[in-house]
Amino acid sequence: MAPISIKTVLISESVDPHCRAILEENGIRVTEKQNMKKDELIAEIKDYDGLVVRSATKVTADVINAADNLKIIGRAGTGVDNVDVDAATKKGIIVMNTPSGNTISAAELTCALLMSLSRNVPQAAMSMKQGNWDRKKFMGAELYGKVLGIVGLGRIGKEVASRMQSFGMKTIGYDPITPPEVSASWGVEQMSLEQLWPQCDYITVHTPLMPSTVGLLNDETFAKCKKGVKVVNCARGGIIDEAALLRALESGQCGGAGLDVFVEEPPKDRSLVDHPNVISCPHLGASTKEAQARCGEDIALQIVDMVKGERLVGAVNAQVLASTFSQESHQLIKLGEAVGAVLQSCTASKKPFRQIQITTQGDCMKSSTGYMTSAVMVGLLNQESGCCPNLINVLSLAKESGITVNQAHCASDGTADGVCRVEILANSCGYKASGSVQGGVPVLLELSDSVFRQPVSLVGNLLFFKASASPQLLSSVAGLLATEGVEIESFSAPSERTGDLWYCVGVSSLLRDLSVLKPLVKEAAQLAV
C-alpha cells in the first residue's frame, strides 16, 4: 500500500500527552478540542485528515459525511461501538483501535470484581464506614476449587484465566474463533455454551457487543446455570440482559454480579446499581494510568507506522490493507488497478456491470487475492460518477451497485505464474483481460482472447482498438492519428493474424474524439495510466 498522507489530526478527548508528542515528532499537526457537541464536531472535522477519540465522542454517520478529508479514525482503546464503522467504510476511511492497550487493566479489574464478589469486600468496607462490625453478615466463599467460565477467549479472557488459575480456580471457556488447542495451552478447556452454563460457579464475559452477543446471559441461560452463580461484565453493557439479571438476583438464581458496564451509561435505572448483591463501577476497565498511556502511545505509533508505509495494526475495517506494505504488493496493486481501468475503458458503453470474476494464478499470488480483487475493482469503478473508490470501500460500493464480485486463486498452469485474470459480464457482453508484473512494471498479456505478442506496458497514454487483421491497419491508424496531432510511441499486436482482434498503441496524447477511428475499427477505448 502506498503511504497514506496524514498531515493534520484532531484529538477530541483527553488522551495521554505522549499521543500528541509522537504525532508531532513525525511531522503531523495536532489540535486538541475536548467536549465538543455534535454540531461543533461536524463543523470542525472537515479540516482534518485524522481523528483520535476515546469512548465519549460519538463518530456518527453525520460526522463522517461532513469529514471531506478524513482518512483515519483512531480509537485510543478497544471497543469501537462509538464509531459508525459502516459509514466510515463506505467513505473509505480506516477505523483503527488499540487492541492490546487496556488488556491488563481490564483483566485486573475483572479479577478484582471476582474476588470482591467472593468476599463481599465493598459491602464490608461500606459497613465499616457506617460504624458497624458485622462479621457474620459478610460471610464469603473461597475461589479455590471453584469453576470459572470465561465467555470470550481473546487477549483479556486469556489474562483473566492465567490470573484466576493462580487462585486455584478451574477455568473453562467458550470462543467461536480461538482454537480449542490454543486455549488448552493456557489452561482453559473449551466447550459449547450449553455445556458451560451448568458447570460454572462464576461467569465472566469478554466478547464484543454484536447481534450474536446481545443478551447472551438471559432468563433462559440463567435458568441453565447453577443456583447462586456469580457473574462479571467488564466488556460491554448489554451482553448480560439487565432485566433478566435483576430477576435472577431477586430469585437467588444469581448470587451476585460485578458490573463495570451498562446498556445506558450512566444508568438512569438504578435497580441493579442499588441491589445489595451487585458491585458496580463507572466503566473503569481502562481507567488506569498505564492503560491510558499505553492506548495513547499505541494509537499514535500505529498512525505513524501507517503513514510511513511500514505496517498496519489495529485496523477494524481495512484488513485487506494489512498485507499491502511490501514493494511487491505495491506493484501488484498498480497492476490490478491498471487491468481494471483497461476493462473499464473498453466496456464504457456496455454498462452496467453485472458480474466480475477475478482470479490470481501462481504461488507468488496466493496471498494477494484479497487486495488484488479490491485493486481491480478500484480501476473498474474509478470513473463512476459520485464514486470515490479505494481499497477499503470498493467492495461495499460494488455490492451497492448490484455487482457480483467473485474471487479465486489457482495454481500455475506451467506457462504463466503471477498472473491476474479478470472476466466481466456487462450488459450480456463478456470481456476479459490478464496481466502480470514484469521488471517491476504492470503489463497486459491478453485482452478478450487477443494474446499480445509483446506484453503491453500499462503506463502512459494507451489506445486500444478492435479491428480485422490487415497489413494496412497500422499505417492507416497511424495516418489518421497524425491528422489529429497524435504520435504513435509503441505498438502491440496480437499473436493471431486472422479475425477481429484487439491492438494497442502507446500515444503521445489521448484523442479528443474516439469516433474519428470509426472508419477503421469496430471498437476503441483509451486511457491514461
Side-chain angles (χ1 to χ4, degrees):
M1 183 186 79
I4 294 174
S5 176
I6 304 290
K7 296 180 180 178
T8 56
V9 167
L10 172 65
I11 299 177
S12 65
E13 295 180 57
S14 175
V15 298
D16 188 84
H18 285 97
C19 178
R20 177 172 189 156
I22 291 168
L23 293 172
E24 290 182 336
E25 285 170 6
N26 287 275
I28 298 172
R29 297 193 303 276
V30 178
T31 301
E32 293 188 69
K33 289 191 177 182
Q34 299 177 24
N35 304 316
M36 282 186 288
K37 296 178 181 178
K38 180 180 177 180
D39 291 344
E40 294 172 328
L41 181 57
I42 287 174
E44 184 74 22
I45 195 63
K46 65 181 184 298
D47 298 324
Y48 297 92
D49 302 315
L51 172 66
V52 172
V53 303
R54 285 179 60 192
S55 58
T57 302
K58 306 304 178 188
V59 191
T60 63
D62 290 340
V63 172
I64 289 166
N65 291 332
D68 295 334
N69 299 319
L70 201 63
K71 301 178 183 72
I72 185 165
I73 299 167
R75 161 73 164 99
T78 303
V80 291
D81 34 316
N82 58 316
V83 178
D84 190 328
V85 178
D86 289 339
T89 301
K90 185 175 179 181
K91 202 162 181 183
I93 298 169
I94 297 171
V95 178
M96 177 186 286
N97 68 353
T98 53
S100 59
N102 61 4
T103 297
I104 300 300
S105 293
E108 287 182 353
L109 180 62
T110 301
C111 297
L113 289 175
L114 287 167
M115 288 184 278
S116 295
L117 284 171
S118 73
R119 300 303 296 270
N120 303 302
V121 175
Q123 297 93 324
M126 185 59 67
S127 177
M128 286 285 288
K129 289 180 185 296
Q130 293 169 350
N132 302 317
W133 185 265
D134 293 323
R135 296 181 69 191
K136 292 183 179 179
K137 182 178 180 181
F138 300 112
M139 178 66 67
E142 290 182 352
L143 292 172
Y144 182 84
K146 302 300 191 297
V147 177
L148 172 63
I150 305 171
V151 181
L153 296 170
R155 289 175 300 273
I156 297 172
K158 177 184 177 182
E159 296 296 334
V160 169
S162 68
R163 284 157 177 74
M164 299 319 294
Q165 286 161 10
S166 68
F167 282 82
M169 297 192 84
K170 178 185 177 183
T171 50
I172 61 177
Y174 168 78
D175 192 293
I177 298 173
T178 303
E181 60 272 18
V182 172
S183 62
S185 71
W186 23 273
V188 179
E189 178 189 356
Q190 276 205 54
M191 57 190 66
S192 70
L193 289 173
E194 293 300 305
Q195 294 171 304
L196 181 141
W197 301 131
Q199 296 189 46
C200 298
D201 299 296
Y202 295 81
I203 296 170
T204 178
V205 294
H206 299 285
T207 71
L209 183 65
M210 57 181 68
S212 61
T213 63
V214 171
L216 196 62
L217 272 164
N218 51 43
D219 287 316
E220 184 181 347
T221 49
F222 272 120
K224 296 174 182 177
C225 295
K226 285 183 180 179
K227 189 172 181 64
V229 67
K230 295 179 172 66
V231 298
V232 171
N233 185 4
C234 288
R236 281 291 179 267
I239 298 172
I240 300 177
D241 183 316
E242 292 180 351
L245 173 58
L246 185 60
R247 288 189 287 270
L249 287 164
E250 292 293 336
S251 70
Q253 182 63 19
C254 178
L259 303 176
D260 186 45
V261 291
F262 298 85
V263 172
E264 182 182 37
E265 296 183 356
K268 292 178 182 176
D269 184 345
R270 307 281 298 180
S271 302
L272 283 173
V273 174
D274 294 337
H275 196 282
N277 292 337
V278 172
I279 302 167
S280 58
C281 301
H283 203 150
L284 298 179
S287 295
T288 64
K289 294 177 181 177
E290 293 85 355
Q292 291 311 304
R294 201 177 295 122
C295 287
E297 289 180 14
D298 284 356
I299 198 65
L301 290 170
Q302 288 170 205
I303 291 172
V304 168
D305 282 347
M306 183 196 69
V307 170
K308 290 182 176 179
E310 293 179 356
R311 59 176 180 159
L312 184 67
V313 175
V316 174
N317 66 336
Q319 293 86 348
V320 69
L321 301 181
S323 55
T324 63
F325 285 80
S326 66
Q327 183 60 38
E328 180 186 42
S329 67
H330 295 179
Q331 294 170 354
L332 291 174
I333 289 169
K334 288 180 180 178
L335 169 66
E337 292 180 348
V339 170
V342 168
L343 285 170
Q344 190 281 330
S345 64
C346 291
T347 58
S349 62
K350 307 292 193 302
K351 293 176 185 176
F353 301 135
R354 293 299 181 200
Q355 189 167 331
I356 298 169
Q357 173 69 47
I358 299 164
T359 305
T360 53
Q361 180 176 339
D363 290 343
C364 65
M365 299 279 272
K366 196 169 185 178
S367 62
S368 63
T369 306
Y371 66 76
M372 283 297 292
T373 298
S374 295
V376 169
M377 293 307 301
V378 168
L380 278 166
L381 298 183
N382 214 15
Q383 301 300 318
E384 298 293 308
S385 60
C387 185
C388 298
N390 62 21
L391 296 180
I392 301 163
N393 66 4
V394 71
L395 293 183
S396 62
L397 292 175
K399 187 176 181 180
E400 282 184 6
S401 301
I403 302 171
T404 301
V405 181
N406 298 311
Q407 58 183 355
H409 177 79
C410 64
S412 173
D413 60 7
T415 60
D417 192 25
V419 173
C420 176
R421 304 184 188 280
V422 183
E423 297 181 49
I424 291 180
L425 182 63
N427 223 358
S428 300
C429 296
Y431 287 80
K432 60 184 179 180
S434 66
S436 67
V437 175
Q438 297 183 5
V441 176
V443 298
L444 188 69
L445 305 174
E446 177 185 1
L447 180 59
S448 290
D449 295 324
S450 294
V451 179
F452 295 103
R453 288 201 296 268
Q454 292 294 325
V456 177
S457 294
L458 293 174
V459 293
N461 300 312
L462 300 175
L463 172 65
F464 292 90
F465 58 86
K466 187 177 184 181
S468 298
S470 163
Q472 293 80 34
L473 179 62
L474 177 58
S475 59
S476 299
V477 170
L480 193 150
L481 291 177
T483 63
E484 296 293 319
V486 176
E487 298 177 5
I488 291 181
E489 296 178 344
S490 63
F491 177 67
S492 298
S495 301
E496 293 291 326
R497 298 178 183 275
T498 58
D500 292 337
L501 302 168
W502 281 96
Y503 299 80
C504 178
V505 290
V507 291
S508 58
S509 61
L510 299 181
L511 283 168
R512 289 186 294 274
D513 183 5
L514 274 176
S515 64
V516 299
L517 290 171
K518 276 187 177 180
L520 301 176
V521 306
K522 298 184 177 180
E523 292 183 53
Q526 62 180 350
L527 72 156
V529 182

